[in-house]
């Protein structure tokens, strides 16, 4: 059986134009059904199962087995807690189930640093499935989710359009969309947007990101390495890498949102013109929005509340600053246990502390500090430079340049 699965060609999500051709054919009945105000539940499930199945054939069969084990684990954890939460609300149970929900992802992330090799539990998309599962536990604690619906759990956690890299949706929002089909006019508008998002996604991912990654990147990388240390070529690498990161991921996210729309689900947008941000906080409201908002709601806000409730710090400002740094450090660790991911998290944590201090100072001295078009343009320019320095740290290129 495993040999047979190894022989089936692997089908990377949104990996090439051929993928969209097969997906478009498979989605025609889905679109017709929703336009006629009806969900073909079995057909939708079959389409999603086939496309997810094909992500884990060929050389990724072991990842597929890890996915099966993972989904059983999360089903038990999330199902147990949501059932328990209907009648009780003990804090230690909540913390225990949250930790257990995150445990598979923590093992996968820590294994390379602690064991020197990747965990067998890893599979593509584990991070985003964990954000959904753990988010369900946390919102159940808040009383937002009442009761456990096994089939809706599978539909939400294994939603194929956003399976591998988000955007990260919230259960209550997803369930509402799934249960309430858009009207014919609303759905036609969604289809129109989906087509536009796919066209822009093609421009971003298959043209601009291709030029940046396959043509410009090797050139600036070679020159930066040949010169060594800090150089103009390193500056070029920083901008090329940052732009490639944006266009590649933004294109991918547009595909995911577009296909979600065809399923009648309004998955949230992940980017909103991040390069016109006026400060670092504004940037995180525009960049990888579903991830930064997940960390804001489920880490930063809860950490701030706990620190204030326990009166760990006397000052609200100190509390917020500590929460900023710990929140961004955790985001850095989530990317991987390497010095440059951790440094990236610390860089942005400290950046948000400085950003907040500047905004407080500006409010107190608003009559002395000019505010006009020039200062706004300067703020955007300065923010983007800070953001691109962060991208350079995140890229890991400094590790290659200075230590290898």
């Amino acid at each position: 059986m495993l040999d047979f699965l190894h022989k089936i060609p692997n089908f990377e999500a949104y990996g090439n134009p051929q993928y969209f051709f097969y997906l478009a054919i498979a989605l025609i009945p889905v679109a017709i059904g929703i336009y006629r105000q009806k969900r073909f539940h079995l057909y939708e499930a079959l389409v999603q199962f086939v496309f997810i199945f094909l992500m884990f054939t060929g050389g990724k069969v072991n990842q597929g087995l890890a996915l099966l084990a993972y989904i059983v684990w999360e089903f038990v954890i999330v199902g147990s807690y949501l059932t328990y939460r209907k009648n009780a609300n003990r804090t230690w149970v909540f913390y225990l189930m949250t930790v257990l929900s995150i445990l598979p992802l923590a093992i996968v992330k820590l294994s390379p640093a602690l064991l020197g090799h990747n965990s067998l539990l890893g599979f593509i998309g584990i991070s985003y499935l964990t954000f959904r599962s753990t988010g369900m536990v946390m919102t159940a604690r808040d009383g937002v989710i009442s009761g456990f619906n096994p089939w809706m759990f599978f539909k939400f956690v294994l939603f194929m359009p956003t399976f591998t890299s988000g955007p990260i949706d919230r259960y209550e929002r997803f369930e509402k969309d799934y249960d309430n089909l858009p009207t014919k006019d609303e759905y036609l508008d969604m289809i129109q947007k989906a087509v536009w998002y796919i066209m822009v996604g093609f421009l971003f991912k298959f043209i601009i990101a291709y030029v940046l990654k396959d043509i410009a990147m090797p050139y600036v990388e070679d020159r930066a390495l040949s010169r060594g240390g800090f150089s103009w070529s390193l500056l070029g690498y920083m901008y090329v890498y940052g732009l490639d990161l944006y266009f590649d991921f933004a294109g991918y996210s547009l595909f995911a949102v577009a296909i979600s729309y065809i399923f009648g689900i309004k998955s949230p947008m992940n980017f909103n013109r991040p390069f016109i941000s006026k400060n670092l906080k504004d940037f995180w409201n525009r960049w990888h929005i579903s991830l930064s908002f997940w960390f804001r709601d489920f880490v930063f806000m809860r950490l701030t509340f706990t620190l204030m409730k326990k009166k760990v710090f006397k000052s609200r400002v100190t509390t917020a600053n500590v929460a900023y740094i710990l929140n961004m450090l955790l985001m850095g660790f989530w990317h991987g246990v390497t010095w440059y991911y951790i440094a990236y998290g610390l860089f942005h944590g400290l950046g948000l502390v400085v950003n907040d201090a500047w905004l407080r100072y500006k409010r107190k001295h608003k009559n002395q500090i000019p505010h006009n078009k020039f200062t706004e343009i300067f703020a955007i320019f300065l923010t983007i430079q800070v953001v691109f320095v962060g991208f350079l740290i995140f890229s890991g290129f400094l590790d290659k340049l200075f230590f290898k």
Side-chain angles (χ1 to χ4, degrees), residues 67-231:
L67 167 63
L68 283 177
Y70 172 88
I71 205 67
V72 170
W73 173 267
E74 294 295 345
F75 180 82
V76 172
I77 299 300
V78 176
S80 300
Y81 184 70
L82 265 63
T83 305
Y84 160 84
R85 182 64 184 85
K86 287 175 71 176
N87 302 308
N89 188 22
R90 292 188 178 181
T91 301
W92 72 267
V93 176
F94 164 68
Y95 283 126
L96 175 65
M97 300 310 261
T98 301
V99 169
L100 291 177
S101 174
I102 297 171
L103 186 60
L105 178 63
I107 292 172
V108 169
K109 291 293 182 182
L110 292 173
S111 289
L114 298 179
L115 305 176
H117 59 79
N118 291 327
S119 169
L120 292 175
L121 297 176
F123 62 88
I124 186 169
I126 186 172
S127 291
Y128 294 91
L129 269 61
T130 302
F131 286 130
R132 296 177 199 175
S133 303
T134 306
M136 287 183 72
V137 171
M138 290 187 165
T139 46
R141 162 78 167 182
D142 299 337
V144 176
I145 302 175
S146 56
F148 182 58
N149 181 333
W151 292 118
M152 190 56 75
F153 167 84
F154 288 121
K155 288 169 186 172
F156 172 64
V157 175
L158 295 172
F159 187 52
M160 181 275 287
T162 58
F163 185 97
T164 51
S165 295
I168 306 163
D169 208 348
R170 306 293 174 94
Y171 177 84
E172 61 277 14
R173 203 210 62 76
F174 178 90
E175 184 183 37
K176 186 179 176 184
D177 272 11
Y178 193 87
D179 289 339
N180 298 284
L181 289 174
T183 64
K184 289 184 177 181
D185 287 343
E186 287 172 342
Y187 190 59
L188 286 176
D189 184 55
M190 290 172 72
I191 292 292
Q192 192 175 16
K193 286 180 179 174
V195 172
W196 173 248
Y197 291 158
I198 289 172
M199 290 171 63
V200 176
F202 264 81
L203 173 66
F204 279 16
K205 187 171 176 62
F206 293 124
I207 297 177
I208 298 178
Y210 169 78
V211 171
L212 289 167
K213 187 173 185 178
D214 291 349
I215 299 175
M217 188 92 75
Y219 176 75
V220 291
E221 184 174 350
D222 287 346
R223 288 180 69 88
L225 286 172
S226 65
R227 280 163 173 72
F230 294 100
S231 64

Side-chain angles (χ1 to χ4, degrees), residues 8-20 22-23 50-58 60 124 160 163-165 205-206 213 248 252 255:
I8 301 176
N10 182 257
F11 223 38
E12 182 188 350
Y14 313 125
N16 55 57
Q18 190 181 23
Y19 179 90
F20 289 89
Y22 294 126
L23 188 59
V50 169
F51 278 87
I52 291 174
F53 174 79
L54 292 174
M55 291 179 201
F56 298 102
T57 50
K60 295 183 178 176
I124 186 169
M160 181 275 287
F163 185 97
T164 51
S165 295
K205 187 171 176 62
F206 293 124
K213 187 173 185 178
D248 186 77
Y252 186 98
F255 294 149

Side-chain angles (χ1 to χ4, degrees), residues 121-390:
L121 297 176
F123 62 88
I124 186 169
I126 186 172
S127 291
Y128 294 91
L129 269 61
T130 302
F131 286 130
R132 296 177 199 175
S133 303
T134 306
M136 287 183 72
V137 171
M138 290 187 165
T139 46
R141 162 78 167 182
D142 299 337
V144 176
I145 302 175
S146 56
F148 182 58
N149 181 333
W151 292 118
M152 190 56 75
F153 167 84
F154 288 121
K155 288 169 186 172
F156 172 64
V157 175
L158 295 172
F159 187 52
M160 181 275 287
T162 58
F163 185 97
T164 51
S165 295
I168 306 163
D169 208 348
R170 306 293 174 94
Y171 177 84
E172 61 277 14
R173 203 210 62 76
F174 178 90
E175 184 183 37
K176 186 179 176 184
D177 272 11
Y178 193 87
D179 289 339
N180 298 284
L181 289 174
T183 64
K184 289 184 177 181
D185 287 343
E186 287 172 342
Y187 190 59
L188 286 176
D189 184 55
M190 290 172 72
I191 292 292
Q192 192 175 16
K193 286 180 179 174
V195 172
W196 173 248
Y197 291 158
I198 289 172
M199 290 171 63
V200 176
F202 264 81
L203 173 66
F204 279 16
K205 187 171 176 62
F206 293 124
I207 297 177
I208 298 178
Y210 169 78
V211 171
L212 289 167
K213 187 173 185 178
D214 291 349
I215 299 175
M217 188 92 75
Y219 176 75
V220 291
E221 184 174 350
D222 287 346
R223 288 180 69 88
L225 286 172
S226 65
R227 280 163 173 72
F230 294 100
S231 64
W232 288 109
S233 299
L234 179 62
L235 195 67
Y237 177 88
M238 179 179 82
Y239 288 118
V240 170
Y241 177 85
L243 290 172
D244 173 59
L245 190 67
Y246 169 69
F247 284 108
D248 186 77
F249 197 14
Y252 186 98
S253 294
L254 284 170
F255 294 149
V257 171
I259 304 306
S260 299
Y261 275 30
I262 296 174
F263 276 98
I265 303 292
K266 290 183 180 176
S267 290
M269 293 297 288
N270 238 354
F271 295 91
N272 179 21
R273 298 180 293 171
F275 298 142
I276 62 166
S277 305
K278 294 174 183 172
N279 57 58
L280 212 50
K281 189 179 282 185
D282 187 26
F283 171 75
W284 282 108
N285 287 332
R286 296 170 176 273
W287 176 268
H288 204 170
I289 299 167
S290 64
L291 177 72
S292 59
F293 280 27
W294 194 97
F295 272 89
R296 182 198 66 185
D297 295 345
F298 294 129
V299 179
F300 177 79
M301 300 296 288
R302 289 164 193 269
L303 183 59
T304 303
F305 176 75
T306 303
L307 292 174
M308 290 179 68
K309 187 179 176 183
K310 302 289 183 185
K311 297 181 179 176
V312 177
F313 303 105
K314 291 181 180 178
S315 165
R316 284 175 175 265
V317 173
T318 305
T319 302
N321 288 344
V322 169
Y324 275 135
I325 292 172
L326 291 178
N327 184 53
M328 297 310 291
L329 268 176
L330 183 61
M331 191 185 286
F333 273 102
W334 166 68
H335 282 100
V337 187
T338 63
W339 75 262
Y340 44 89
Y341 287 144
I342 297 166
Y344 172 77
L346 184 61
F347 177 80
H348 270 280
L350 292 173
L352 287 169
V353 170
V354 173
N355 185 82
D356 254 18
W358 165 248
L359 292 177
R360 285 195 304 276
Y361 179 84
K362 195 177 170 186
R363 277 196 296 272
K364 286 183 181 175
H365 301 82
K366 58 184 177 184
N367 293 329
Q368 289 82 38
I369 299 174
H371 182 85
N372 51 46
K373 284 290 178 188
F374 174 77
T375 58
E376 281 193 8
I377 292 171
F378 179 73
I380 291 171
F381 174 78
L382 187 62
T383 301
I384 293 308
Q385 306 319 306
V386 172
V387 164
F388 273 86
V389 169

